[in-house]
Amino acid sequence: MLPSGVFFRDFAAEAAYLRTGPQRLALALFVLALVLLPALAGAYLVGVITLMFVTMIAVLGLQITVGMAGMINIGQSAFVGIGAFVSASLASKLGWPFWLTLPAAALAAGVSSLLFGLPALRIKGFYLALTTVAAQIVFPIGIARLPSAWFGGSSGLAVEPVSIFGHALLKQHELYYFNLAFVLLFALLAFNLKRTRVGRALIAVRDNDIAASVLGVNIGYYKLVAFFVGAVFAGVAGALLGYVVSYVTTDHFTLWLSIWYISMLIVGGMGSPLGAIFGTVVITALQESLHALGNAAAARFGSDFGAFIFPATNSVLGVLIIAILVFQPHGLLTGWNTLKAAYRIWPYRHHGG
Amino acid sequence: MTVEPALEAVDLKVSFGAIKALDGVSLRVDAGQILSVIGPNGAGKSSLLNCLSGVYRPHSGRVLFHGRDITALAPHRRAALGVARTFQGIQSYASMTVRQNILAGFHCRMKTGLLDALLYWPRAQREEREFSARAEEIIEFLELEELRHTLVGELGYGLRKRVDLGRALALGPSVLVLDEPMAGMSVEEKADLARFVLDIRAAHNTPVILVEHDMEVVMDISDQVLVMEWGRAIALGAPAEVRIDARVINAYLGAEEP
Ligand SMILES: Nc1ncnc2c1ncn2[C@@H]1O[C@H](COP(=O)(O)OP(=O)(O)OP(=O)(O)O)[C@@H](O)[C@H]1O
Ligand SMILES: [Mg+2]
């Protein structure tokens, strides 16, 4: 719903995501805040947010496969892992620059996702979820079994830092800006996808696959596209993660991480890339605050208490996620939209939504 | 001179276990014709339409589109040829707005590929603009202007069926296949829909195949009526002929009067 009094002269203005002056201003201020952040925040926080950007790219990809196209994928972290190892290997063994390792990682993750996406042509729902879990199981075994000259085997791989015009990005804030650029780019790609023919085809397949096929959508092709694009995002996230943490092992890319990604998407709202962004921010903030609380408590009451507090914070996080979903079953984004609409028509009541 | 049929079905057979949903049904429809298919529940009308649009593959028999055998063609390829279809019940894309539903109907007329979509560069923007304008024409034709940005899931039954029709029209149909487009509608809504169908035919000479239970509408707008029972065609002819056919009165029409 638009603010009252706003009309459009043409379809281009209407199709644009940011449709009013204040909306553009808000986005500009938000980006400005992101750019200024390293100057204001401590190194730890900057590091946390840098990793959050990487996560966000993976969750934006998941939104395409799961949210837009409606195919459950519980193996996203395996595709992140494939991207991470491919990029790490090319960067450290062949000395490829990031602008080659990133596309290679994206392609490797995308192509391997097709292998696990193929069953989607035949099966749906729970059984498909199981095949994506298979990706999660096959991935570490594959890395461990392949010649260790390729991917370092089970001990993992060190990653050469990103180098831009001969300058290595080593400082926390440099990595922050590097990843900020990519998260902005991939968020834009995700929003673009949603508003065009391809996005509509993906949503059509999710909403009603039989109707979609009768209306001209090649559903097999679009199911594979959904997996491929989702995994391309994951692959890029993996390559970036490697550069941030500078060492990759298969332990990074567990089923748990995939479940975190899914939780972020569900909490934020599956229907839009904005939901992926919301969810990643909210869950990361919760994780970090609980972690900080736990640390403070452990410092105060001793390490015995610490052994108890860390599992406890995870349970609290689980309960918080459930609470969010009880009050906003369609994710926080719907809550946000209702709030916006209510504000625009205030003081009248808002119906529906 | 013989006219080539726009769409033709020859001796279609489909069964589900012991049920013969279609047991040798044939039909043809020519340019500008409205063919109605009637029959009691479970007669096989939807199964027939599913064979035409490719959702079911018949066990035997053929489907011809302007003389070309399309029996083995996937549904989305038939759509690209212009075989447009609406469904019994509600099958619109519930999470999209009215306009997005219609834009989704343009799918095989648009060209934007994956890379164009991700980058949304000028070529993709231009196509999006052009088709938004065309969607607007359909919205205007179906008198849905007020609702263009409403989520279809929030609309009432009659309006959702109208959106379904709009989505099929977006295909630029060379044959329009409608499964109970008026079911559950009020009298006015039915009249509107009948008018839309007649207007479409008048404007583009589009042949229409229509499944409908409302006899008054069927007798009013059809050129031909095909009557089905237990997977078979028991009568085919002009409304006036079918109405007085003893088997039809027995099997179907008679059932309505005590
Ligand atoms: N996919 C299917 N699986 C099993 N049986 C089916 C299937 N589709 C149709 N049938 C059966 O085939 C017969 C014909 O069904 P169909 O839906 O074609 O009838 P219809 O004439 O459209 O009926 P209605 O007026 O109720 O829509 C019915 O007995 C139905 O149960
Ligand atoms: Mg039916």
Side-chain angles (χ1 to χ4, degrees):
Chain A
M1 184 184 164
L2 286 164
S4 56
V6 176
F7 299 99
F8 301 108
R9 256 159 291 132
D10 57 41
F11 294 115
E14 200 179 27
Y17 265 104
L18 305 166
R19 300 188 286 200
T20 59
Q23 282 174 342
R24 288 206 188 90
L25 185 67
L27 182 72
L29 287 176
F30 181 64
V31 172
L32 186 68
L34 286 174
V35 170
L36 293 179
L37 187 125
L40 307 170
Y44 179 75
L45 187 60
V46 173
V48 167
I49 295 178
T50 306
L51 280 174
M52 184 186 79
F53 289 157
V54 174
T55 305
M56 202 176 271
I57 294 176
V59 180
L60 280 165
L62 200 58
Q63 196 271 326
I64 294 167
T65 317
V66 180
M68 278 190 214
M71 285 176 300
I72 187 76
N73 172 7
I74 323 186
Q76 182 77 336
S77 88
F79 301 122
V80 176
I82 290 170
F85 273 89
V86 166
S87 146
S89 176
L90 293 172
S92 47
K93 298 195 188 288
L94 302 179
W96 284 23
F98 79 89
W99 47 269
L100 287 177
T101 61
L102 252 65
L107 201 65
V111 170
S112 18
S113 82
L114 294 182
L115 209 64
F116 295 93
L118 272 175
L121 304 186
R122 297 247 162 241
I123 54 177
K124 290 187 193 179
F126 180 68
Y127 295 101
L128 181 59
L130 285 185
T131 15
T132 61
V133 171
Q136 201 76 59
I137 295 165
V138 171
F139 164 71
I141 299 176
I143 294 291
R145 291 282 162 83
L146 287 169
S148 63
W150 295 7
F151 297 116
S154 44
S155 55
L157 273 178
V159 189
E160 290 296 310
V162 179
S163 155
I164 295 179
F165 301 121
H167 171 72
L169 301 192
L170 291 169
K171 296 205 186 73
Q172 194 57 263
H173 72 269
E174 293 171 335
L175 283 167
Y176 173 93
Y177 288 122
F178 184 69
N179 286 286
L180 174 62
F182 280 100
V183 79
L184 290 177
L185 172 68
F186 277 81
L188 182 68
L189 297 183
F191 279 111
N192 283 345
L193 187 68
K194 191 184 175 215
R195 63 177 157 186
T196 46
R197 170 179 179 264
V198 178
R200 283 190 296 268
L202 296 177
I203 297 171
V205 169
R206 176 195 72 194
D207 277 5
N208 194 325
D209 54 353
I210 302 238
S213 72
V214 169
L215 284 146
V217 178
N218 183 347
I219 47 181
Y221 172 77
Y222 281 97
K223 282 181 172 178
L224 291 180
V225 161
F227 265 100
F228 181 79
V229 179
V232 160
F233 277 54
V236 169
L240 292 171
L241 184 71
Y243 287 124
V244 174
V245 297
S246 71
Y247 199 94
V248 292
T249 72
T250 48
D251 298 345
H252 283 128
F253 310 103
T254 57
L255 181 59
W256 282 116
L257 183 58
S258 289
I259 291 174
W260 276 119
Y261 289 155
I262 287 271
S263 316
M264 289 172 178
L265 184 59
I266 295 176
V267 163
M270 306 226 276
S272 147
L274 206 54
I277 294 171
F278 257 60
T280 311
V281 172
V282 168
I283 298 280
T284 306
L286 283 176
Q287 276 173 335
E288 284 301 319
S289 347
L290 285 171
H291 199 75
L293 269 179
N295 269 334
R300 201 177 154 147
F301 300 112
S303 59
D304 284 350
F305 189 71
F308 153 78
I309 194 76
F310 288 111
T313 54
N314 274 335
S315 314
V316 172
L317 198 52
V319 171
L320 280 174
I321 292 175
I322 292 169
I324 291 174
L325 293 178
V326 167
F327 291 108
Q328 287 296 338
H330 298 293
L332 292 170
L333 193 62
T334 21
W336 167 251
N337 284 337
T338 314
L339 206 67
K340 251 185 356 190
Y343 161 75
R344 278 179 189 150
I345 56 174
W346 190 85
Y348 303 103
R349 274 180 61 95
H350 178 69
H351 295 281
Chain B
M1 194 191 105
T2 53
V3 193
E4 185 177 76
L7 193 65
E8 190 176 11
V10 185
D11 199 25
L12 295 177
K13 290 188 180 152
V14 169
S15 44
F16 298 99
I19 299 170
K20 286 183 174 162
L22 289 179
D23 192 11
V25 178
S26 303
L27 64 75
R28 69 175 272 175
V29 62
D30 301 329
Q33 265 193 348
I34 296 180
L35 168 74
S36 289
V37 181
I38 63 171
N41 292 115
K45 307 179 296 291
S46 296
S47 302
L48 175 62
L49 266 47
N50 280 338
C51 287
L52 299 180
S53 58
V55 179
Y56 292 169
R57 187 78 53 91
H59 300 308
S60 71
R62 290 182 308 153
V63 179
L64 305 169
F65 176 79
H66 289 287
R68 171 180 168 194
D69 191 331
I70 58 166
T71 320
L73 215 57
H76 67 271
R77 299 206 182 278
R78 298 187 198 202
L81 291 177
V83 180
R85 151 100 195 258
T86 70
F87 297 86
Q88 187 168 355
I90 292 177
Q91 307 287 344
S92 35
Y93 306 133
S95 71
M96 296 189 204
T97 65
V98 170
R99 170 148 358 115
Q100 284 164 346
N101 260 269
I102 291 169
L103 279 171
F106 283 120
H107 182 81
C108 39
R109 304 290 168 241
M110 295 176 83
K111 293 196 175 62
T112 297
L114 180 57
L115 196 64
D116 301 320
L118 286 167
L119 299 176
Y120 198 52
W121 49 25
R123 188 166 61 172
Q125 292 177 21
R126 213 170 321 119
E127 192 182 58
E128 198 70 12
R129 259 198 315 275
E130 181 196 329
F131 279 88
S132 295
R134 286 172 61 176
E136 235 10 75
E137 288 169 15
I138 292 176
I139 286 171
E140 222 166 278
F141 170 66
L142 295 176
E143 294 157 17
L144 290 165
E145 293 97 329
E146 310 285 309
L147 300 169
R148 60 166 70 85
H149 294 307
T150 308
L151 291 180
V152 166
E154 293 171 6
L155 295 179
Y157 192 85
L159 287 168
R160 288 186 70 166
K161 304 247 14 157
R162 207 187 286 186
V163 174
D164 257 17
L165 176 63
R167 194 177 56 175
L169 288 181
L171 215 53
S174 36
V175 186
L176 194 56
V177 179
L178 309 173
D179 198 349
E180 305 201 10
M182 299 168 200
M185 285 189 169
S186 70
V187 178
E188 296 95 80
E189 283 176 326
K190 279 183 184 176
D192 281 343
L193 211 112
R195 182 166 51 82
F196 294 139
V197 172
L198 290 172
D199 285 351
I200 295 161
R201 195 237 330 234
H204 306 288
N205 214 22
T206 314
V208 181
I209 297 175
L210 176 88
V211 170
E212 189 44 61
H213 282 293
D214 188 315
M215 274 310 124
E216 216 169 308
V217 176
V218 167
M219 295 301 167
D220 245 22
I221 69 173
S222 318
D223 300 305
Q224 288 214 77
V225 179
L226 172 73
V227 189
M228 291 185 63
E229 193 193 24
W230 300 119
R232 291 168 183 276
I234 58 170
L236 173 67
E241 297 162 27
V242 165
R243 165 179 263 155
I244 53 169
D245 186 302
R247 290 171 69 190
V248 176
I249 295 171
N250 216 0
Y252 190 54
L253 297 176
E256 285 182 355
E257 287 149 37

